[in-house]
Amino acid sequence: MDAPHSKAALDSINELPENILLELFTHVPARQLLLNCRLVCSLWRDLIDLMTLWKRKCLREGFITEDWDQPVANWKIFYFLRSLHRNLLRNPCAEGAAKAWVRGGHAEHTQVRKPPTLLPRMCLKSQLVDLVAEGYWEELLDTFRPDIVVKDWFAARADCGCTYQLKVQLASADYFVLASFEPPPVTIQQWNNATWTEVSYTFSDYPRGVRYILFQHGGRDTQYWAGWYGPRVTNSSIVVSPKMTRNQASSEAQPGQKHGQEEAAQSPYRAVVQIF
């Protein structure tokens, strides 16, 4: 005769300690947790809504480290934004005949020898990013309004000056412009040191209803030479990021300037050393 069990088997998975259930949930895909598991019962709903679970999932996915010390307002939103984190601009260096870029309403077929792209005369190329198609649902965009970080790199040829310009617009589903970043054009004189410059801007607390992002950049050469002598542009990016507590002036500071200077916070341009 078998010896009696010292403890009866569990009648339900819900009899497991909550900490064990949380650990099990960290291995379930996030969308399944919300679309299926959360509907099973009130216990599962309450556990899945705990910020502790989503912080554990962030740790397991490598989105944070054990020594993470930055404040996060909503770990669930942080998790989904980190899982979607990527450059939303395709072909950011405009390789291969600048595929994915549009100029003047037609696909860009300008010759591209190697990145960065050389833009002749006045040439503006653009991309339109559909945020919903990229996985950012409407409630996420309208309720939490994550930061939208835009960056671009430009430089002139050493023997030819150029004018560079950039325009980024956040638009509604009906293509109405809700927010815009369009810094003054930058003109670089002939016989320069061909230094690469990064331009960056973060859209924060923008109006509700943003569904599209238009990114347009380009320029022309100042000598009007025939061929590809305009600004060189490369490594363009649009990244949707969780809102983090940070010092905006510090992140924009110019080399040699003290953090917190008003000029640093206002200017999007930051000259850097040669990267190519």
Side-chain angles (χ1 to χ4, degrees), residues 29-50:
R31 293 185 181 274
Q32 294 300 318
L33 285 175
L34 297 181
L35 297 177
N36 297 320
C37 299
R38 193 177 180 276
L39 305 179
V40 170
C41 62
S42 60
L43 174 62
W44 286 25
R45 178 199 63 203
D46 293 343
L47 290 177
I48 291 170
D49 286 345
L50 287 176

Side-chain angles (χ1 to χ4, degrees), residues 206-273:
Y206 43 82
R208 291 176 172 82
V210 171
R211 300 294 180 266
Y212 295 98
I213 305 173
L214 172 67
F215 183 99
Q216 182 186 75
H217 67 174
R220 61 175 178 80
D221 70 274
T222 58
Q223 307 306 120
Y224 297 97
W225 292 343
W228 289 266
Y229 298 100
R232 296 178 290 171
V233 293
T234 194
N235 286 349
S236 311
S237 66
I238 298 175
V239 176
V240 179
S241 300
K243 289 184 178 181
M244 303 298 296
T245 301
R246 60 188 183 278
N247 186 331
Q248 288 283 2
S250 173
S251 66
E252 299 288 348
Q254 302 275 351
Q257 289 183 331
K258 295 181 180 179
H259 290 171
Q261 287 186 333
E262 183 178 358
E263 294 82 4
Q266 291 179 346
S267 175
Y269 299 108
R270 180 160 58 88
V272 298
V273 297

